[in-house]
Amino acid sequence: MKRFLPAALGAALAMAFASTVSSAQEATDITPSPQQIHWQDLEFGVIVHFGTNTFLDREWGDGTADPKVFNPDHVDALQWARASRAAGARYMVMVAKHHDGFALFPTAQSDYSVKSSPWMGGKGDLVRLASDAARAEGLEFGVYLSPWDRHEPRYAEPQAYDAYYRAQVEELAQHYGPLVEWWLDGAGSAGHVYDFPRYIETLRTYQPNAMVFADMGLFEYGDLRWVGQEDGYIRGENWNVIDRHGYRRWRPVEVDTPLHDLHWFWHPNDEGTLKSVAKLVDTWENSVGRGGQLMLGIAPDRHGRLPDADVARLEAFGKALRARYGDASNLARHHVGTDENIEAALDGDKNTFWSAPAGSRHATLEVNFGHPVTFDRTLTMEWLDDGQHVRKYAIEVFDGKAWHAVASAEAIGHMKIDVFPRVTAQRVRLNILSSVGDASIREFQVFNAGPLPSN
């Protein structure tokens, strides 16, 4: 993963973030593609790290590991997929080649792959197993193929390596079914010039619907962007339109972080780094709950299975999320009768939405419970097919005499969870104080979730 960035790349990311708010006011004519809408609705995925590093107790392989060290005795990709689905994930990305250059699929471009390992007599294909398992468990599938390659001799010759990388793109894009995402990592890229336009042209030939993830500093025309760090949190207002060098594009953010603190690959005696359920829920609330996408790293052990403790933690994480934000916990589902327009935002159906009055730049969406109800957060989803329109809003409660704000911000976007001190009220509303164009809200939900889980 991206453990460091060249100084110039980091500066580019900082400039991109700084320009986001100023650009947002000029960006309402930029809308997402159908594929981006679909991807944002997935909300939560996992990325699988497995390879020679697993057997050498490393995070960063240098490309010199003997392929013979890769020899798991019980690969169970279905277990990975089941555990991911239990956590609430909707897609799985497989690291087909990390920075060490060792390919987990039998690429015809190099012998540095599973075909040179003793695993399955050199006939194995981890990408195939992961792809089949993901689809069997109802998950969509994606691929990570590191541009940086510390083993391949052609890496020193950019044109020769570009041809090598494109050939691997073709293999992965043609033989593993529809891909929802293609991961382009920026680590180790200082001083090397990649032919990214040709890479993406090749990918688009076979996978026109795959979303391309990349750092803002790699190229401006990616479909998805990195949040800028790996702690799992979005900070500041989250706008979907990003300006880089005057090039504006709808580019939602993906937030990547591992299940274990600072560890993407499995390591022995590592259970102490496993993140708590409370930490995972807090991460979800500050990534998905701030309009982004959560990409959680999972790592099989030397047997090819997720450790039992990891499986249990993923299951407990999913259970905690469902308890806090499941449909049964949504207090707004129980309200007094209202009109059809408002009902579209309260019905739990993301395919319907409330619309502000035509031409309005300020509007309110109110829930009347019919009796006093205690709650401590709201979840709001903007309908984004026509762009991100809300520019300022408040969550307000009625005390019997007047409305009082309990939370306020600027961006809503795909999803925004607003948390505030517990309050008891019969009426609560979303007050859209400013919008550019007519605001549309898919969901307005109310919860009494309480503190984070204790474990």
Side-chain angles (χ1 to χ4, degrees), residues 409-447:
E410 296 178 14
I412 293 177
H414 175 73
M415 180 190 294
K416 181 64 184 299
I417 295 175
D418 286 291
V419 181
F420 39 84
R422 186 168 287 167
V423 62
T424 299
Q426 181 172 316
R427 297 163 64 189
V428 59
R429 72 182 184 182
L430 169 67
N431 187 356
I432 297 174
L433 302 169
S434 176
S435 68
V436 180
D438 301 339
S440 300
I441 302 299
R442 297 170 82 184
E443 285 294 309
F444 184 60
Q445 303 179 359
V446 182
F447 298 94

Short mmCIF file of all heavy atoms in Angstrom, two decimals, residues 409-447:
data_model
loop_
_atom_site.label_atom_id
_atom_site.label_comp_id
_atom_site.label_asym_id
_atom_site.label_seq_id
_atom_site.Cartn_x
_atom_site.Cartn_y
_atom_site.Cartn_z
N ALA A 409 -23.26 21.59 9.02
CA ALA A 409 -22.09 21.36 8.19
C ALA A 409 -22.38 21.91 6.79
O ALA A 409 -23.41 22.57 6.57
CB ALA A 409 -21.74 19.87 8.14
N GLU A 410 -21.48 21.60 5.85
CA GLU A 410 -21.66 22.06 4.48
C GLU A 410 -22.07 20.92 3.55
O GLU A 410 -23.13 20.93 2.97
CB GLU A 410 -20.37 22.74 3.99
CG GLU A 410 -20.00 24.00 4.75
CD GLU A 410 -18.70 24.61 4.27
OE1 GLU A 410 -18.22 24.21 3.18
OE2 GLU A 410 -18.16 25.47 4.98
N ALA A 411 -21.19 19.92 3.41
CA ALA A 411 -21.42 18.86 2.42
C ALA A 411 -22.24 17.71 3.02
O ALA A 411 -22.04 17.29 4.16
CB ALA A 411 -20.09 18.32 1.91
N ILE A 412 -23.16 17.18 2.23
CA ILE A 412 -23.83 15.92 2.55
C ILE A 412 -23.26 14.83 1.66
O ILE A 412 -22.61 13.91 2.12
CB ILE A 412 -25.36 16.03 2.38
CG1 ILE A 412 -25.94 17.00 3.42
CG2 ILE A 412 -26.00 14.64 2.54
CD1 ILE A 412 -27.43 17.22 3.29
N GLY A 413 -23.48 14.92 0.36
CA GLY A 413 -22.93 13.93 -0.55
C GLY A 413 -23.61 12.58 -0.43
O GLY A 413 -24.80 12.49 -0.10
N HIS A 414 -22.84 11.51 -0.69
CA HIS A 414 -23.44 10.18 -0.70
C HIS A 414 -24.08 9.84 0.64
O HIS A 414 -25.19 9.30 0.69
CB HIS A 414 -22.41 9.12 -1.04
CG HIS A 414 -22.95 7.73 -0.95
ND1 HIS A 414 -23.82 7.22 -1.89
CD2 HIS A 414 -22.80 6.76 -0.01
CE1 HIS A 414 -24.17 5.99 -1.54
NE2 HIS A 414 -23.57 5.70 -0.40
N MET A 415 -23.40 10.13 1.73
CA MET A 415 -23.95 9.88 3.07
C MET A 415 -23.27 10.81 4.05
O MET A 415 -22.08 11.06 3.96
CB MET A 415 -23.73 8.43 3.50
CG MET A 415 -24.28 8.10 4.89
SD MET A 415 -23.75 6.47 5.52
CE MET A 415 -24.56 5.37 4.35
N LYS A 416 -24.05 11.28 5.02
CA LYS A 416 -23.47 12.08 6.11
C LYS A 416 -24.15 11.71 7.41
O LYS A 416 -25.37 11.83 7.55
CB LYS A 416 -23.64 13.56 5.83
CG LYS A 416 -23.03 14.46 6.92
CD LYS A 416 -21.52 14.30 7.01
CE LYS A 416 -20.92 15.11 8.14
NZ LYS A 416 -21.16 16.56 7.96
N ILE A 417 -23.36 11.21 8.35
CA ILE A 417 -23.85 10.94 9.69
C ILE A 417 -23.49 12.11 10.58
O ILE A 417 -22.30 12.46 10.70
CB ILE A 417 -23.27 9.62 10.25
CG1 ILE A 417 -23.76 8.43 9.42
CG2 ILE A 417 -23.64 9.45 11.73
CD1 ILE A 417 -23.15 7.10 9.82
N ASP A 418 -24.47 12.73 11.18
CA ASP A 418 -24.25 13.83 12.12
C ASP A 418 -24.55 13.33 13.53
O ASP A 418 -25.65 12.83 13.81
CB ASP A 418 -25.14 15.01 11.78
CG ASP A 418 -24.67 15.76 10.54
OD1 ASP A 418 -23.61 16.39 10.62
OD2 ASP A 418 -25.35 15.67 9.50
N VAL A 419 -23.57 13.47 14.40
CA VAL A 419 -23.68 12.99 15.79
C VAL A 419 -23.75 14.20 16.71
O VAL A 419 -23.00 15.18 16.54
CB VAL A 419 -22.47 12.10 16.15
CG1 VAL A 419 -22.60 11.59 17.58
CG2 VAL A 419 -22.37 10.93 15.17
N PHE A 420 -24.61 14.14 17.72
CA PHE A 420 -24.80 15.26 18.63
C PHE A 420 -25.23 14.71 20.00
O PHE A 420 -25.59 13.54 20.13
CB PHE A 420 -25.87 16.23 18.09
CG PHE A 420 -27.04 15.55 17.41
CD1 PHE A 420 -28.12 15.08 18.16
CD2 PHE A 420 -27.05 15.36 16.05
CE1 PHE A 420 -29.19 14.45 17.54
CE2 PHE A 420 -28.11 14.74 15.41
CZ PHE A 420 -29.19 14.28 16.16
N PRO A 421 -25.15 15.52 21.04
CA PRO A 421 -25.60 15.06 22.36
C PRO A 421 -27.04 14.57 22.30
O PRO A 421 -27.88 15.16 21.61
CB PRO A 421 -25.46 16.30 23.24
CG PRO A 421 -24.40 17.12 22.56
CD PRO A 421 -24.60 16.89 21.10
N ARG A 422 -27.32 13.50 23.01
CA ARG A 422 -28.65 12.89 22.98
C ARG A 422 -29.73 13.92 23.32
O ARG A 422 -29.59 14.71 24.26
CB ARG A 422 -28.69 11.73 23.97
CG ARG A 422 -29.97 10.92 23.95
CD ARG A 422 -29.79 9.65 24.74
NE ARG A 422 -28.95 8.71 24.02
CZ ARG A 422 -28.42 7.62 24.56
NH1 ARG A 422 -28.62 7.35 25.84
NH2 ARG A 422 -27.68 6.81 23.84
N VAL A 423 -30.80 13.91 22.54
CA VAL A 423 -31.87 14.87 22.68
C VAL A 423 -33.21 14.14 22.58
O VAL A 423 -33.31 13.11 21.91
CB VAL A 423 -31.76 15.98 21.60
CG1 VAL A 423 -31.90 15.38 20.20
CG2 VAL A 423 -32.77 17.10 21.82
N THR A 424 -34.22 14.65 23.24
CA THR A 424 -35.57 14.09 23.14
C THR A 424 -36.49 15.14 22.52
O THR A 424 -36.57 16.27 23.02
CB THR A 424 -36.10 13.68 24.52
OG1 THR A 424 -35.24 12.68 25.08
CG2 THR A 424 -37.51 13.11 24.41
N ALA A 425 -37.14 14.76 21.43
CA ALA A 425 -38.00 15.72 20.73
C ALA A 425 -39.04 14.94 19.91
O ALA A 425 -38.83 13.78 19.57
CB ALA A 425 -37.18 16.62 19.82
N GLN A 426 -40.13 15.58 19.61
CA GLN A 426 -41.17 14.98 18.77
C GLN A 426 -40.94 15.28 17.30
O GLN A 426 -41.37 14.52 16.44
CB GLN A 426 -42.55 15.51 19.20
CG GLN A 426 -43.70 14.92 18.39
CD GLN A 426 -45.05 15.30 18.95
OE1 GLN A 426 -45.27 15.26 20.16
NE2 GLN A 426 -45.97 15.70 18.06
N ARG A 427 -40.24 16.37 17.01
CA ARG A 427 -40.03 16.79 15.62
C ARG A 427 -38.54 17.07 15.39
O ARG A 427 -37.87 17.67 16.23
CB ARG A 427 -40.87 18.02 15.31
CG ARG A 427 -42.37 17.79 15.41
CD ARG A 427 -43.14 19.09 15.50
NE ARG A 427 -43.00 19.90 14.30
CZ ARG A 427 -43.42 21.17 14.21
NH1 ARG A 427 -44.02 21.76 15.26
NH2 ARG A 427 -43.27 21.84 13.09
N VAL A 428 -38.05 16.63 14.24
CA VAL A 428 -36.67 16.88 13.84
C VAL A 428 -36.70 17.19 12.35
O VAL A 428 -37.57 16.70 11.62
CB VAL A 428 -35.75 15.67 14.13
CG1 VAL A 428 -36.23 14.42 13.43
CG2 VAL A 428 -34.30 15.97 13.76
N ARG A 429 -35.78 18.02 11.90
CA ARG A 429 -35.79 18.35 10.48
C ARG A 429 -34.38 18.55 9.94
O ARG A 429 -33.45 18.90 10.68
CB ARG A 429 -36.63 19.59 10.21
CG ARG A 429 -36.01 20.90 10.66
CD ARG A 429 -36.95 22.08 10.39
NE ARG A 429 -36.35 23.36 10.74
CZ ARG A 429 -36.96 24.52 10.65
NH1 ARG A 429 -38.24 24.59 10.25
NH2 ARG A 429 -36.35 25.66 10.97
N LEU A 430 -34.27 18.31 8.66
CA LEU A 430 -33.09 18.68 7.89
C LEU A 430 -33.39 20.05 7.29
O LEU A 430 -34.32 20.18 6.48
CB LEU A 430 -32.82 17.66 6.78
CG LEU A 430 -31.79 18.04 5.72
CD1 LEU A 430 -30.39 18.14 6.33
CD2 LEU A 430 -31.79 17.05 4.56
N ASN A 431 -32.63 21.05 7.69
CA ASN A 431 -32.82 22.41 7.19
C ASN A 431 -31.70 22.70 6.18
O ASN A 431 -30.54 22.90 6.56
CB ASN A 431 -32.78 23.41 8.34
CG ASN A 431 -33.14 24.82 7.89
OD1 ASN A 431 -33.35 25.07 6.70
ND2 ASN A 431 -33.19 25.74 8.84
N ILE A 432 -32.03 22.67 4.91
CA ILE A 432 -31.05 22.98 3.86
C ILE A 432 -30.99 24.49 3.73
O ILE A 432 -31.90 25.13 3.22
CB ILE A 432 -31.45 22.32 2.53
CG1 ILE A 432 -31.46 20.79 2.69
CG2 ILE A 432 -30.49 22.74 1.41
CD1 ILE A 432 -31.99 20.04 1.49
N LEU A 433 -29.90 25.05 4.25
CA LEU A 433 -29.75 26.49 4.32
C LEU A 433 -29.29 27.09 3.00
O LEU A 433 -29.57 28.26 2.71
CB LEU A 433 -28.75 26.85 5.43
CG LEU A 433 -29.13 26.35 6.82
CD1 LEU A 433 -27.98 26.51 7.78
CD2 LEU A 433 -30.37 27.08 7.32
N SER A 434 -28.58 26.27 2.21
CA SER A 434 -28.10 26.76 0.92
C SER A 434 -27.87 25.58 -0.01
O SER A 434 -27.28 24.57 0.38
CB SER A 434 -26.78 27.53 1.11
OG SER A 434 -26.25 27.93 -0.13
N SER A 435 -28.34 25.73 -1.24
CA SER A 435 -28.06 24.71 -2.25
C SER A 435 -27.87 25.41 -3.59
O SER A 435 -28.42 26.48 -3.83
CB SER A 435 -29.20 23.69 -2.35
OG SER A 435 -30.38 24.28 -2.87
N VAL A 436 -27.07 24.78 -4.43
CA VAL A 436 -26.88 25.26 -5.79
C VAL A 436 -27.65 24.30 -6.69
O VAL A 436 -27.26 23.16 -6.87
CB VAL A 436 -25.39 25.30 -6.17
CG1 VAL A 436 -25.22 25.80 -7.59
CG2 VAL A 436 -24.63 26.18 -5.19
N GLY A 437 -28.77 24.74 -7.21
CA GLY A 437 -29.68 23.83 -7.87
C GLY A 437 -30.63 23.22 -6.85
O GLY A 437 -30.48 23.40 -5.63
N ASP A 438 -31.60 22.47 -7.32
CA ASP A 438 -32.61 21.89 -6.43
C ASP A 438 -32.03 20.70 -5.68
O ASP A 438 -31.53 19.75 -6.30
CB ASP A 438 -33.82 21.43 -7.24
CG ASP A 438 -34.47 22.57 -8.02
OD1 ASP A 438 -34.24 23.74 -7.64
OD2 ASP A 438 -35.18 22.28 -8.99
N ALA A 439 -32.09 20.73 -4.36
CA ALA A 439 -31.58 19.64 -3.54
C ALA A 439 -32.51 18.43 -3.61
O ALA A 439 -33.73 18.57 -3.69
CB ALA A 439 -31.42 20.09 -2.10
N SER A 440 -31.92 17.26 -3.58
CA SER A 440 -32.69 16.01 -3.57
C SER A 440 -32.08 15.09 -2.52
O SER A 440 -30.86 14.90 -2.48
CB SER A 440 -32.65 15.32 -4.94
OG SER A 440 -33.21 16.16 -5.94
N ILE A 441 -32.93 14.50 -1.67
CA ILE A 441 -32.47 13.68 -0.54
C ILE A 441 -33.05 12.28 -0.67
O ILE A 441 -34.28 12.09 -0.66
CB ILE A 441 -32.89 14.31 0.81
CG1 ILE A 441 -32.32 15.73 0.94
CG2 ILE A 441 -32.43 13.42 1.96
CD1 ILE A 441 -30.81 15.81 0.92
N ARG A 442 -32.16 11.28 -0.76
CA ARG A 442 -32.59 9.88 -0.88
C ARG A 442 -33.11 9.34 0.44
O ARG A 442 -34.11 8.62 0.50
CB ARG A 442 -31.42 8.99 -1.32
CG ARG A 442 -30.86 9.29 -2.66
CD ARG A 442 -29.56 8.54 -2.88
NE ARG A 442 -29.78 7.16 -3.31
CZ ARG A 442 -28.80 6.29 -3.49
NH1 ARG A 442 -27.55 6.64 -3.27
NH2 ARG A 442 -29.07 5.06 -3.88
N GLU A 443 -32.38 9.65 1.52
CA GLU A 443 -32.74 9.12 2.84
C GLU A 443 -32.46 10.16 3.91
O GLU A 443 -31.43 10.85 3.88
CB GLU A 443 -31.93 7.86 3.16
CG GLU A 443 -32.38 6.61 2.42
CD GLU A 443 -33.76 6.15 2.85
OE1 GLU A 443 -34.01 6.01 4.06
OE2 GLU A 443 -34.61 5.95 1.95
N PHE A 444 -33.39 10.25 4.86
CA PHE A 444 -33.17 11.00 6.09
C PHE A 444 -33.57 10.08 7.23
O PHE A 444 -34.75 9.76 7.39
CB PHE A 444 -33.99 12.30 6.12
CG PHE A 444 -33.72 13.14 7.33
CD1 PHE A 444 -32.46 13.63 7.59
CD2 PHE A 444 -34.75 13.47 8.21
CE1 PHE A 444 -32.20 14.41 8.72
CE2 PHE A 444 -34.51 14.25 9.33
CZ PHE A 444 -33.23 14.72 9.58
N GLN A 445 -32.57 9.58 7.96
CA GLN A 445 -32.79 8.57 8.99
C GLN A 445 -32.36 9.11 10.35
O GLN A 445 -31.48 9.99 10.44
CB GLN A 445 -32.02 7.29 8.65
CG GLN A 445 -32.39 6.72 7.29
CD GLN A 445 -31.62 5.46 6.94
OE1 GLN A 445 -30.76 4.99 7.70
NE2 GLN A 445 -31.92 4.89 5.78
N VAL A 446 -32.96 8.57 11.39
CA VAL A 446 -32.71 9.03 12.76
C VAL A 446 -32.41 7.82 13.64
O VAL A 446 -33.12 6.80 13.57
CB VAL A 446 -33.93 9.80 13.31
CG1 VAL A 446 -33.64 10.33 14.72
CG2 VAL A 446 -34.32 10.95 12.36
N PHE A 447 -31.37 7.94 14.48
CA PHE A 447 -30.95 6.81 15.31
C PHE A 447 -30.62 7.26 16.73
O PHE A 447 -30.24 8.40 16.97
CB PHE A 447 -29.70 6.14 14.72
CG PHE A 447 -29.91 5.58 13.34
CD1 PHE A 447 -29.59 6.35 12.22
CD2 PHE A 447 -30.42 4.31 13.16
CE1 PHE A 447 -29.78 5.84 10.93
CE2 PHE A 447 -30.61 3.80 11.89
CZ PHE A 447 -30.29 4.56 10.77
#
